[in-house]
């Protein structure tokens, strides 16, 4: 099950943001992390067996970063229709 979660955060200093990112990146069920502009500050992708496992992940993130998470939303994938792989070379 692929699920995407958007997070709106209260202000974080550089160290707190790095801690948040490192926590997300190090989680074995988080498949990608993106810092964004607009209403949502971060989007993460997760891959889990079921909603129960997904809920455990989100609950752990929310508990660890309670004072920073203003809001979040979840979108689950029903069907992957197309995947375009590309790489950015700097």
């Amino acid at each position: 099950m692929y699920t995407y979660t958007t997070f709106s955060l209260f202000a974080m200093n550089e160290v707190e943001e790095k801690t948040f990112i490192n926590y997300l990146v190090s989680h074995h069920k988080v498949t990608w992390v993106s810092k964004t502009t607009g209403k949502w500050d971060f989007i993460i992708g997760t891959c889990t067996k079921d909603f129960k496992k997904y809920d455990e992940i989100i609950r752990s993130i929310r508990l660890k970063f309670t004072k920073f998470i203003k809001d979040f939303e979840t979108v689950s994938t029903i069907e992957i229709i197309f995947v375009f792989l590309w790489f950015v070379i700097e």
Side-chain angles (χ1 to χ4, degrees), residues 20-90:
F20 181 69
I21 292 168
N22 288 340
Y23 182 82
L24 298 174
V25 169
S26 68
H27 196 289
H28 70 284
K29 293 291 186 181
V30 173
T31 57
W32 64 271
V33 177
S34 179
K35 187 174 179 178
T36 60
T37 61
K39 179 180 178 180
W40 305 108
D41 299 300
F42 283 89
I43 302 172
I44 66 168
T46 56
C47 182
T48 58
K49 180 176 75 170
D50 53 35
F51 281 111
K52 184 175 180 184
K53 290 293 181 191
Y54 169 76
D55 185 61
E56 290 172 11
I57 294 167
I58 296 305
R59 185 178 304 271
S60 72
I61 294 168
R62 291 178 64 208
L63 287 172
K64 185 160 181 69
F65 298 98
T66 300
K67 70 179 190 176
F68 298 113
I69 297 174
K70 186 185 319 182
D71 194 14
F72 74 99
E73 285 189 9
T74 298
V75 177
S76 294
T77 302
I78 296 170
E79 177 183 9
I80 297 174
I81 296 168
F82 177 77
V83 175
F84 176 74
L85 299 177
W86 59 276
F87 300 91
V88 176
I89 299 173
E90 293 183 23

